[in-house]
Amino acid sequence: MFRLLASRFLLFALILIHLLTTQILAQRSKTPWQTLNGEAPLIIARGGFSGLLPDSSVDSYSFVAQTSVPDAVLWCDVQLTKDGTGICFPDVTMKYASNMERAYPNRKNSYLLNGVPTENWFTIDFTFRDLNSVFLTQGTFSRSDKFDNNQYAISTVESIATKMKPEGFWLNVQHDTFYTQHNLSMSKFLLLVSKTVMIDYLSSPEVNFFRNISGRFGKKGPKFVFRFLEKDVVEVSTNQTYGSLLRNLTFIKTFASGVLVPKSYIWPVDKSQYLLPHTSFVQDAHKAGLEVYASGFANDFDLAYNYSFDPLAEYLSFIDNGDFSVDGVLSDFPLTASSAVDCFSHLGSNATTQVDLLVISKNGASGDYPGCTDLAYSKAIKDGADVIDCSLQMSSDGVPFCSSSIDLGESMNVVQSPFRNRSSSVSEIIPSSGLYSFSLAWSEIQSLTPAITNPYTKDFTLFRNPRERSSGKLLSLSDFLNLAKNSSSLTGVLIIVEVTNFYYDYNNHFEH
Ligand SMILES: *[C@@H]1O[C@H](CO)[C@@H](O)[C@H](O)[C@H]1NC(C)=O
Ligand SMILES: *[C@@H]1O[C@H](CO)[C@@H](O)[C@H](O)[C@H]1NC(C)=O
Ligand SMILES: *[C@@H]1O[C@H](CO)[C@@H](O)[C@H](O)[C@H]1NC(C)=O
Ligand SMILES: *[C@@H]1O[C@H](CO)[C@@H](O)[C@H](O)[C@H]1NC(C)=O
Ligand SMILES: *[C@@H]1O[C@H](CO)[C@@H](O)[C@H](O)[C@H]1NC(C)=O
Ligand SMILES: *[C@@H]1O[C@H](CO)[C@@H](O)[C@H](O)[C@H]1NC(C)=O
Ligand SMILES: *[C@@H]1O[C@H](CO)[C@@H](O)[C@H](O)[C@H]1NC(C)=O
Ligand SMILES: *[C@@H]1O[C@H](CO)[C@@H](O)[C@H](O)[C@H]1NC(C)=O
């Protein structure tokens, strides 16, 4: 059925077996957004493009304009300095996200922050002038420090607004009570700055902040958005947990037109980071007339395993899931959120036919399941691969089968197996010894459990789908071809043959 090309050490034979290709394109009409007002969800850039550049820096904000949807909203966490200047800075404490520790080593202080004694550098201990010698840095240590080179100054709210002229400007007031306790008035600052700066959204996790400020902006004031924190946290002004405030959305609606919630309010995860079914929160809040904004979106952490490390898939589950759409997402990577909204929503079954590119699997969906197993191949087909691949190996009794490596120790759980003592050393293949496929009969190989590969654990501590780390079964070449033939969405298969000479020399089974 196929022809092999032989070479001395390494050989790839590529055989495309053309299968029937019928493109069944579901007839779908364009779904309108299931947001409260029917418009596309807002992209809210937290501190600018803070996944890459220092949060709240001018470059971080301007990079949003260059890479995101044109109406992306710029989010600024407002803090007050000792002299009442409003600045954009991610937190009231300054140790992280700035070089404060080096700039003012002796000005650490201790205050009660929402009742918790906290030792840190606080914005209220510095005048805006003092902050001239402080620079913004990347506050999340797992991210690149390439831009921590003392070039990003701390900006006032006014200067960010003036320089950026954002389509939408969102101010978040995380600690109103704290500033009041220190005789600084956030409300006073906001009312003053609103004379020169257009504030489109104003959010806070404190109920009293809204009670105090509502009605004081006049008709064209900002939208008020109540920010829910984690459910067991106590809201300072009502002394109720956020979980208990959640039960009365009618009450929230008395002072806010929207809510901002951690994404787990909508798609909760279990202890091992797998998604649970979505809650009815978005529908409930929409029924109460509240817009829903979700927070906690980043490309580089906190992604449930269900998304296969694909942040786009996560956005789509919040904005285009058939049941609801949130009204906006708060993201550290607004570029990805923008592509989710602008390019990848409402594609339905057309998604895989957007570009004329061949998608070839690598050992099936080997990021989700142990490679070359029935589960990995089925997932690859379900995910829309055009071609599935088989790395061909041969058993001692001459059965061709698919496995990512000739050394079964790399793709199977062999440590506990009785065949461990059959490993051998063949320096032409790998330097150390291995349990080679040609040392075991096919029935023996089938008794082993396939293992998921985790190539990125050393540098990035990224583990793949732990629940499926030992699952599925390997397929013989003929089972593989039957599976492929059965799938009308495939256009072909790819057979990869490595180290053929070796089989010829030692086994002479290849004509099988
Ligand atoms: C899918 O593609 C077909 C054919 O190009 C088109 O008629 C249909 O509107 C598309 N569906 C969606 C949801 O875009
Ligand atoms: C705030 O002002 C009041 C009255 O002027 C004063 O008694 C109090 O000590 C001040 N508190 C702080 C933290 O400065
Ligand atoms: C609310 O406003 C009043 C009057 O301006 C002020 O006395 C009070 O401290 C404010 N409360 C808060 C929590 O800001
Ligand atoms: C807040 O609630 C807790 C328990 O419900 C209670 O013990 C505490 O006294 C309350 N604090 C205030 C300031 O009302
Ligand atoms: C919910 O809040 C509304 C408005 O403040 C109030 O009238 C109602 O009694 C509250 N319901 C409950 C169950 O607490
Ligand atoms: C997420 O993945 C787990 C494990 O495969 C599965 O049990 C769960 O149902 C998935 N969650 C959703 C919402 O699909
Ligand atoms: C390998 O171990 C099995 C039992 O685990 C034993 O029956 C067999 O003889 C051993 N083979 C060799 C080559 O040592
Ligand atoms: C082929 O597909 C059909 C229907 O999806 C299924 O019942 C059958 O088991 C499949 N056969 C193989 C060999 O996978």
Side-chain angles (χ1 to χ4, degrees), residues 234 236 238-240:
V234 173
V236 287
T238 58
N239 197 30
Q240 287 187 49

Side-chain angles (χ1 to χ4, degrees), residues 24-40:
I24 305 159
L25 299 176
Q27 291 295 310
R28 282 200 179 203
S29 57
K30 200 169 170 79
T31 337
W33 292 104
Q34 290 170 294
T35 49
L36 187 64
N37 60 12
E39 281 166 28

Side-chain angles (χ1 to χ4, degrees), residues 418-419 421-422:
F419 312 123
N421 59 6
R422 305 240 199 115

Side-chain angles (χ1 to χ4, degrees), residues 226 228 231 242-243 245-249 252 258-268 277-288 290-294 318 324-327:
F226 181 61
F228 279 88
K231 288 179 187 164
Y242 287 94
L245 286 168
L246 185 64
R247 284 183 225 121
N248 195 348
L249 292 173
I252 307 295
V259 292
L260 172 66
V261 296
K263 62 190 183 185
S264 62
Y265 272 52
I266 298 164
W267 281 104
H278 70 70
T279 64
S280 62
F281 180 79
V282 178
Q283 288 112 318
D284 295 345
H286 280 175
K287 242 175 257 163
L290 288 163
E291 286 174 337
V292 179
Y293 304 96
F318 281 80
F324 58 79
S325 169
V326 297
D327 301 277

Side-chain angles (χ1 to χ4, degrees), residues 38-348:
E39 281 166 28
L42 277 187
I43 310 298
I44 309 149
R46 198 186 66 85
F49 207 125
S50 57
L52 188 60
L53 291 149
D55 191 308
S56 307
S57 61
V58 169
D59 280 13
S60 176
Y61 285 118
S62 55
F63 199 49
V64 177
Q66 293 161 36
T67 55
S68 307
V69 290
D71 58 349
V73 172
L74 299 187
W75 162 290
C76 156
D77 279 292
V78 190
Q79 315 296 343
L80 295 177
T81 62
K82 190 179 189 168
D83 50 347
T85 306
I87 56 170
C88 295
F89 192 84
D91 197 51
V92 66
T93 64
M94 301 187 78
K95 176 172 173 171
Y96 303 115
S98 81
N99 69 341
M100 185 53 104
E101 205 167 354
R102 227 175 310 149
Y104 291 103
N106 304 320
R107 286 174 67 177
K108 194 154 58 161
N109 213 335
S110 183
Y111 293 115
L112 280 181
L113 185 57
N114 290 357
V116 182
T118 307
E119 216 182 79
N120 208 307
W121 286 260
F122 289 82
T123 58
I124 57 166
D125 289 335
F126 298 86
T127 60
F128 184 62
R129 210 193 148 94
D130 293 336
L131 295 180
N132 276 341
S133 49
V134 178
F135 297 98
L136 298 164
T137 60
Q138 177 54 263
T140 302
F141 293 142
S142 56
R143 291 176 179 163
S144 172
D145 59 2
K146 281 272 186 298
F147 303 99
D148 293 359
N149 42 9
N150 295 357
Q151 57 171 318
Y152 297 108
I154 294 173
S155 301
T156 63
V157 172
E158 237 170 329
S159 82
I160 293 292
T162 313
K163 282 186 190 141
M164 301 300 146
K165 302 183 180 59
E167 278 294 308
F169 198 30
W170 185 310
L171 300 184
N172 178 56
V173 176
Q174 197 71 6
H175 294 288
D176 181 45
T177 305
F178 178 77
Y179 288 114
T180 309
Q181 285 161 355
H182 294 275
N183 290 348
L184 286 165
S185 172
M186 188 57 91
S187 306
K188 214 167 112 193
F189 164 74
L190 292 169
L191 290 164
L192 189 67
V193 82
S194 72
K195 297 209 168 87
T196 50
V197 167
M198 180 75 185
I199 309 170
D200 300 284
Y201 302 86
L202 193 52
S203 64
S204 174
E206 297 183 10
V207 173
N208 253 358
F209 169 72
F210 294 106
R211 284 187 174 146
N212 250 26
I213 206 165
S214 68
R216 293 170 67 186
F217 276 103
K219 276 215 180 88
K220 287 189 75 184
K223 279 191 180 179
F224 294 139
V225 178
F226 181 61
R227 180 175 203 179
F228 279 88
L229 303 181
E230 294 301 334
K231 288 179 187 164
D232 54 351
V233 174
V234 173
E235 195 281 319
V236 287
S237 53
T238 58
N239 197 30
Q240 287 187 49
T241 62
Y242 287 94
S244 120
L245 286 168
L246 185 64
R247 284 183 225 121
N248 195 348
L249 292 173
T250 316
F251 169 63
I252 307 295
K253 179 68 183 159
T254 60
F255 60 86
S257 63
V259 292
L260 172 66
V261 296
K263 62 190 183 185
S264 62
Y265 272 52
I266 298 164
W267 281 104
V269 290
D270 65 16
K271 284 205 184 78
S272 31
Q273 284 294 306
Y274 283 93
L275 280 185
L276 298 168
H278 70 70
T279 64
S280 62
F281 180 79
V282 178
Q283 288 112 318
D284 295 345
H286 280 175
K287 242 175 257 163
L290 288 163
E291 286 174 337
V292 179
Y293 304 96
S295 66
F297 290 90
N299 291 9
D300 52 354
F301 50 76
D302 208 14
L303 269 181
Y305 286 113
N306 299 63
Y307 299 123
S308 303
F309 295 101
D310 176 6
L312 262 176
E314 181 181 48
Y315 288 112
L316 292 176
S317 76
F318 281 80
I319 62 176
D320 183 26
N321 62 27
D323 291 336
F324 58 79
S325 169
V326 297
D327 301 277
V329 289
L330 179 60
S331 175
D332 293 10
F333 294 82
L335 167 63
T336 315
S338 296
S339 22
V341 169
D342 240 23
C343 316
F344 289 92
S345 287
H346 308 318
L347 292 177

Side-chain angles (χ1 to χ4, degrees), residues 14-27:
L14 183 154
I15 303 105
L16 284 177
I17 298 171
H18 287 276
L19 302 169
L20 190 66
T21 67
T22 21
Q23 305 283 9
I24 305 159
L25 299 176
Q27 291 295 310

